[in-house]
């Protein structure tokens, strides 16, 4: 049931504070100890991590790569399942393989994980490959292939465009990176505490964004009734969120959209920019803030309408951006959980304004069980 919401997608966007609470409830105890239930045999001496996924799950995996490398210090590769299958990388010892799929039934991801399992067993039958699934369906095929599972606990998602399951996948990667980082002592107790405290603040922060920004974002979409192309840019841990913003918009509004790491604009995509092509730029405080701002300025010089996803108290941002979507202050590492929300709302309201079937976009299926 839609419970008064116009579409399931909007209902599911509003469920996200609860999804974050439920996830943390399940895996983080009152003393802030992480318990994903992963055995030492899976985690010990992992030398590298290979992630396979499609679509939105692939975007979550890119955030995962950032976290696993920067927090846990483990070299991590992310590949589209459909590409991985036909060009698997050379085998290395002690690889942790992670399949990320909310449905747990995506044919390419299932096949990639199965192939990798067999490839490793084939090399030495005594060898136990380290396989992990991140899925929203404990009863899914991926869960049985992998054996070890992080259940994302987001509840069934009905809207074809993934929203709450994406946020839950991100959380899975946060806790996985913190868990592995704690086991390897790659992060200090203080930093761990700081991140955990930040995680616990996320539900209220998402609520605040929904309360304070939804109406505004809906208003903003007035100016995009004729828009045919959108560019999304982000850097660092927010680059994948730019990709996700573009994918959401494409899927449900059928507007052409591209996501780029902001620093790549000048290597080609900037040629697309003019007054008809709005640019959504994620520019939250942190290690790449200055760079993100200067990239946004490059776009402004090409007359693009600039929409800034920025931190609330950013006095500087007003001079640069035409429209501002201000978010609560957050640790840079955790910012994707917040920056993803306006991406979803923007896509939703543009599509809803165009009168499109948001929950069942053309040509798309919720679960892609064919190759
Ligand atoms: C995006 C979307 C798709 C899926 C992709 C993978 O909104 O829904 O891109 O993310 O088909 O699906 P799962 O996660 O079920 O493997």
């Amino acid at each position: 049931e839609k419970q008064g919401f116009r579409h399931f997608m909007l209902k599911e966007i509003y469920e996200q504070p609860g999804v974050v609470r439920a996830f943390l409830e399940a895996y983080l105890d009152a003393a802030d100890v992480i318990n994903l239930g992963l055995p030492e045999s899976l985690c010990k001496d992992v030398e590298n991590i290979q992630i396979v996924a499609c679509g939105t799950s692939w975007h979550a995996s890119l955030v995962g790569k950032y976290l696993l490398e920067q927090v846990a210090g483990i070299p991590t590769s992310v590949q589209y399942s459909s590409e991985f299958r036909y060009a698997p990388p050379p085998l290395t010892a002690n690889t942790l393989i992670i399949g990320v799929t909310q449905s747990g039934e995506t044919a390419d991801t299932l096949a990639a994980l199965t192939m990798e399992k067999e490839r490793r067993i084939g090399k030495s039958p005594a060898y136990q490959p380290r396989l992990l699934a991140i899925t929203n369906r404990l009863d899914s095929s991926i869960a049985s292939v992998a054996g070890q599972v992080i259940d994302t606990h987001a509840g069934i998602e009905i809207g074809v465009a993934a929203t709450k399951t994406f946020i839950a996948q991100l959380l899975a990667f946060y806790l996985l990176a913190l868990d592995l980082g704690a086991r390897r002592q790659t992060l200090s107790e203080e930093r761990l505490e700081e991140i955990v405290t930040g995680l616990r603040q996320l539900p209220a922060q998402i609520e605040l964004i929904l309360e304070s920004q939804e109406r505004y974002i809906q208003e903003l979409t007035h100016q995009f009734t004729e828009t045919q192309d959108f560019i999304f840019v982000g850097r660092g841990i927010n680059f994948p969120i730019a990709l996700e913003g573009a994918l959401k918009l494409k899927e449900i509004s059928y507007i052409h959209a591209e996501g780029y790491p902001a620093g790549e604009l000048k290597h080609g995509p900037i040629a697309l920019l003019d007054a008809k092509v709005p640019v959504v730029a994620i520019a939250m405080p942190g290690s790449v803030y200055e760079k993100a701002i200067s990239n946004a300025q490059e776009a402004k010089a090409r007359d693009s309408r600039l929409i800034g996803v920025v931190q609330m108290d950013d006095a500087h941002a007003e001079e640069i951006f035409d429209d501002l979507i201000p978010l609560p202050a957050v640790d840079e590492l955790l910012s994707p959980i917040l920056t993803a929300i306006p991406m979803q709302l923007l896509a939703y309201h543009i599509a809803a304004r165009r009168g499109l079937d948001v929950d069942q976009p053309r040509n798309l299926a919720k679960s892609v069980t064919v190759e």
Side-chain angles (χ1 to χ4, degrees):
E1 270 316 294
K2 288 188 205 139
Q3 293 165 359
F5 287 98
R6 208 172 133 204
H7 295 99
F8 281 108
M9 182 179 173
L10 192 59
K11 172 176 171 268
E12 286 159 359
I13 289 173
Y14 270 83
E15 280 170 1
Q16 293 176 122
V19 165
V20 177
R21 281 195 187 97
F23 190 94
L24 296 180
E25 178 98 351
Y27 298 117
L28 194 61
D29 72 12
D32 287 350
V33 175
I34 295 165
N35 187 6
L36 292 169
L38 304 179
E40 186 62 7
S41 57
L42 189 86
C43 306
K44 198 171 150 256
D45 301 328
V46 166
E47 279 168 19
N48 55 49
I49 297 176
Q50 174 69 57
I51 309 177
V52 289
C54 307
T56 287
S57 297
W58 185 77
H59 297 154
S61 303
L62 290 180
V63 175
K65 170 185 161 75
Y66 188 102
L67 296 169
L68 291 163
E69 292 188 337
Q70 305 304 320
V71 174
I74 309 172
T76 302
S77 309
V78 184
Q79 181 60 293
Y80 289 116
S81 311
S82 56
E83 288 296 310
F84 186 90
R85 289 178 69 177
Y86 299 103
L91 289 174
T92 49
N94 295 334
T95 303
L96 169 64
I97 301 137
I98 309 179
V100 185
T101 160
Q102 79 80 21
S103 64
E105 303 297 341
T106 296
D108 280 316
T109 305
L110 204 54
L113 206 73
T114 307
M115 180 190 82
E116 200 55 10
K117 182 177 182 174
E118 286 165 0
R119 200 157 72 106
R120 281 164 194 276
I121 292 175
K123 205 159 180 235
S124 154
Y127 178 67
Q128 287 293 317
R130 301 160 193 254
L131 301 168
L132 173 66
I134 296 179
T135 181
N136 202 38
R137 300 299 297 263
L138 212 47
D139 56 354
S140 63
S141 307
I142 198 97
S144 58
V145 170
Q148 291 296 333
V149 181
I150 301 177
D151 177 356
T152 54
H153 285 294
I156 301 280
E157 189 172 64
I158 293 172
V160 163
T163 52
K164 64 175 180 171
T165 56
F166 174 65
I167 293 295
Q169 287 170 343
L170 294 183
L171 286 169
F173 277 117
Y174 280 101
L175 290 203
L176 179 63
L178 291 176
D179 185 350
L180 294 176
R183 288 177 202 244
R184 298 166 165 247
Q185 300 178 322
T186 53
L187 82 171
S188 66
E189 293 247 333
E190 296 77 54
R191 185 65 181 131
L192 182 63
E193 267 313 304
E194 211 169 69
I195 301 171
V196 168
T197 304
L199 282 168
R200 292 201 189 280
Q201 287 168 351
L202 291 171
Q205 292 180 319
I206 300 172
E207 269 155 12
L208 185 70
I209 298 171
L210 293 172
E211 274 161 31
S212 65
Q213 297 304 314
E214 197 209 334
R215 184 67 55 81
Y216 173 67
I217 291 173
Q218 188 174 8
E219 292 291 305
L220 209 63
T221 62
H222 277 293
Q223 22 170 338
F224 305 129
T225 45
E226 304 292 318
T227 304
Q228 291 184 351
D229 308 274
F230 260 91
I231 301 289
F232 291 76
V233 291
R235 293 189 72 126
I237 199 166
N238 278 299
F239 158 51
I241 305 303
L243 293 179
E244 176 61 5
L247 181 64
K248 286 287 90 98
L249 189 66
K250 274 184 268 208
E251 282 183 302
I252 60 170
S253 75
Y254 317 141
I255 294 174
H256 169 242
E258 304 285 344
Y260 292 104
E264 278 295 300
L265 269 185
K266 58 175 138 346
H267 297 287
I270 201 161
L272 295 170
L273 299 186
D274 62 24
K276 289 205 216 107
V277 182
V279 174
V280 179
I282 303 170
M284 295 291 278
S287 56
V288 288
Y289 173 76
E290 307 287 335
K291 301 286 169 201
I293 292 289
S294 77
N295 297 142
Q297 270 160 336
E298 291 161 15
K300 196 176 170 81
R302 302 298 183 287
D303 292 334
S304 287
R305 184 154 196 98
L306 269 189
I307 301 131
V309 176
V310 300
Q311 187 169 297
M312 236 166 226
D313 55 9
D314 186 341
H316 189 54
E318 235 160 272
E319 299 158 25
I320 297 155
F321 296 101
D322 300 297
D323 301 292
L324 286 180
I325 303 177
L327 306 181
V330 64
D331 193 299
E332 180 183 20
L333 205 68
L334 299 174
S335 62
I337 304 266
L338 301 189
T339 57
I341 310 296
M343 302 294 141
Q344 300 168 344
L345 289 172
L346 196 63
Y348 172 77
H349 280 296
I350 291 176
R353 180 174 297 276
R354 292 188 177 204
L356 298 169
D357 189 350
V358 171
D359 287 330
Q360 298 241 284
R362 68 186 184 199
N363 308 339
L364 297 177
K366 184 69 189 160
S367 180
V368 184
T369 52
V370 291
E371 185 175 347

